[in-house]
Amino acid sequence: MPATTPATLTARALLLDMDGTLVNSDAVVERCWRRWAERQGLDGDAALRVVHGRQGYATMALLLPDRPMEENHADNRLMLAEETADLDGVVPVSGAPAFMAAIADLPHALVTSADEALARARMGAAALRMPAVRVTAESVGASKPDPEGFLKGAAALNFDPADCVVFEDSEAGIRAGRAAGMRVVGVGPRAAAFAPDAYVPDLTHLRVEAGDGSITLTALP
């Protein structure tokens, strides 16, 4: 963890990304997006550099800026179905089961670029509890890095943005959390480069303590 990153954050509510944060779905993401890139005549590595954290149509718009958006939305629907059917290699991020158990009675919401079906499939494949409050792709009009999803998550929990801490793994997600006026815990190797307010390699490096309406999050070495 960088020396400039504080080890402890205090919040009243937690907003959780899914892929890369709670669920390791990198294997299926790579398979699906490399196939899509090949069909478009694009470099798979280039696609994977921008795919994480965004809804599929937003990634497609970045990679194919001249293509009509309706084609991106149509392709995104196919991609979501393909990803939902492919759960091979989907596993929990290390420490995610214990983390989800620790926050079970605390205010929290899932804020993911996946749609409801994909979120349920991946959380189920990773044997993780699905939060009661969820903001999925169907709930928003704009993809991360737009802050809409996190702002809707905070509103659903009845907390001000400043009282919320976001858990994210991607540049797009960290930017979205910051744009929402929230602090960010970066999880995993992708997050380290984008200066989150606190950073953990995985969720085994996080301690959660609750009391008097506050949640203290401590990043452990």
Side-chain angles (χ1 to χ4, degrees), residues 7-192:
T8 300
L9 298 175
T10 302
R12 297 181 65 201
L14 309 178
L15 301 176
L16 316 173
D17 175 52
M18 182 180 71
D19 292 301
T21 303
L22 299 175
V23 173
N24 183 343
S25 57
D26 283 1
V28 59
V29 169
E30 179 161 340
R31 283 195 297 274
C32 291
W33 279 95
R34 284 192 184 280
R35 285 195 295 265
W36 179 86
E38 184 177 359
R39 292 195 296 268
Q40 307 304 320
L42 298 173
D43 177 66
D45 290 338
L48 290 172
R49 281 195 290 271
V50 297
V51 66
H52 295 289
R54 292 179 171 85
Q55 292 193 43
Y57 74 84
T59 295
M60 294 169 188
L62 284 174
L63 295 168
L64 298 171
D66 297 325
R67 190 165 81 151
M69 189 57 78
E70 58 265 27
E71 292 186 30
N72 295 333
H73 282 288
D75 255 12
N76 186 45
R77 288 190 289 272
L78 295 174
M79 177 69 74
L80 285 169
E82 186 178 351
E83 289 186 299
T84 302
D86 184 355
L87 300 174
D88 187 25
V90 174
V91 296
V93 166
S94 294
F99 171 72
M100 293 300 288
I103 67 168
D105 296 326
L106 305 177
H108 67 281
L110 189 72
V111 181
T112 175
S113 294
D115 65 3
E116 179 81 13
L118 180 56
R120 286 189 175 278
R122 286 189 175 162
M123 291 290 279
L128 294 175
R129 173 184 56 80
M130 177 69 91
V133 178
R134 300 182 291 279
V135 179
T136 57
E138 301 95 331
S139 309
V140 297
S143 171
K144 299 171 186 176
D146 191 280
E148 181 185 2
F150 287 125
L151 291 172
K152 284 194 169 182
L157 294 172
N158 293 313
F159 286 99
D160 291 334
D163 290 326
C164 299
V165 166
V166 164
F167 283 71
E168 267 287 357
D169 73 301
S170 69
E171 178 185 11
I174 291 171
R175 286 171 56 195
R178 287 247 169 83
M182 301 172 185
R183 292 152 297 146
V184 180
V185 174
V187 181
R190 284 188 290 269

